[in-house]
Amino acid sequence: MKALAATLISLSLSAWVASHAHTGVAQVNASPTVSAQDSRSINIARSGSQQPIKGPAEHFTGSVQVEPLFPVHDPSRTSGGKVTFAPGARSAWHTHPLGQTLIVTDGTGWIQQWGGPIEEIRKGDVIWIPPGVKHWHGATPNTAMTHIAIQEQLNGKAVEWMEKVTDDQYRK
């Protein structure tokens, strides 16, 4: 399975991994799901039990760490991950077929929808990105930012990665 072939991404992203998960923002394209038959009881994933991975260079600029939080559990299509962007780090442009929710847990970041202004996001902010909306997110130039990324798969895919955000686009 892929760890962040990614979301949210996800950025994006999203891309998101470990043994079963993917993120959005950090986000994986075709990660297997955990079958309902595999787990008929409550499962506790202990804090720190999932090792963070480096956000892949093809989907991120700068230093990005993605920690899988929960995989898709069939019949659900939802997964989540914690994504930490170092100052100046960001996702590439991307979309999510069923949208994405970001919950900023630390620091200050930026998000931009294609054709729109860069908007500041801070600790405690909750951001909804509608399905198919081309966007990027990441840290500001001088401040790190961490968010939880939650997204759903459609036909096994949670993110569509596009071109990288240029330095000129990032500075605007």
Side-chain angles (χ1 to χ4, degrees):
M1 95 188 60
K2 298 179 182 178
L4 225 203
T7 180
L8 250 173
I9 304 321
S10 98
L11 46 200
S12 347
L13 301 168
S14 228
W16 340 102
V17 195
S19 64
H20 303 291
H22 69 274
T23 68
V25 152
Q27 304 109 35
V28 175
N29 285 343
S31 182
T33 61
V34 175
S35 168
Q37 294 178 348
D38 293 340
S39 178
R40 298 247 181 223
S41 60
I42 293 172
N43 179 7
I44 300 171
R46 298 290 177 195
S47 177
S49 65
Q50 302 290 335
Q51 291 302 310
I53 61 166
K54 182 177 170 67
E58 63 266 25
H59 303 303
F60 296 97
T61 298
S63 178
V64 178
Q65 293 292 312
V66 180
E67 180 182 346
L69 294 176
F70 59 93
V72 170
H73 291 278
D74 192 37
S76 172
R77 304 182 290 191
T78 306
S79 66
K82 180 173 129 180
V83 184
T84 300
F85 298 85
R90 58 202 180 261
S91 72
W93 290 100
H94 61 285
T95 64
H96 301 278
L98 295 174
Q100 183 182 49
T101 298
L102 302 176
I103 304 165
V104 181
T105 60
D106 198 30
T108 303
W110 287 343
I111 188 166
Q112 182 180 27
Q113 177 174 329
W114 186 258
I118 292 174
E119 297 188 59
E120 187 174 277
I121 55 178
R122 304 181 265 312
K123 182 178 180 176
D125 289 350
V126 178
I127 301 96
W128 164 243
I129 300 137
V133 171
K134 185 175 179 178
H135 68 285
W136 67 269
H137 36 96
T140 64
N142 300 313
T143 307
M145 188 269 294
T146 300
H147 65 54
I148 304 293
I150 303 168
Q151 56 282 318
E152 289 185 87
Q153 292 183 4
L154 179 62
N155 300 321
K157 191 171 186 175
V159 63
E160 177 70 34
W161 289 105
M162 299 167 183
E163 71 274 14
K164 284 193 165 189
V165 174
T166 66
D167 289 343
D168 285 344
Q169 289 171 322
Y170 179 73
R171 287 189 196 109
K172 289 186 179 184

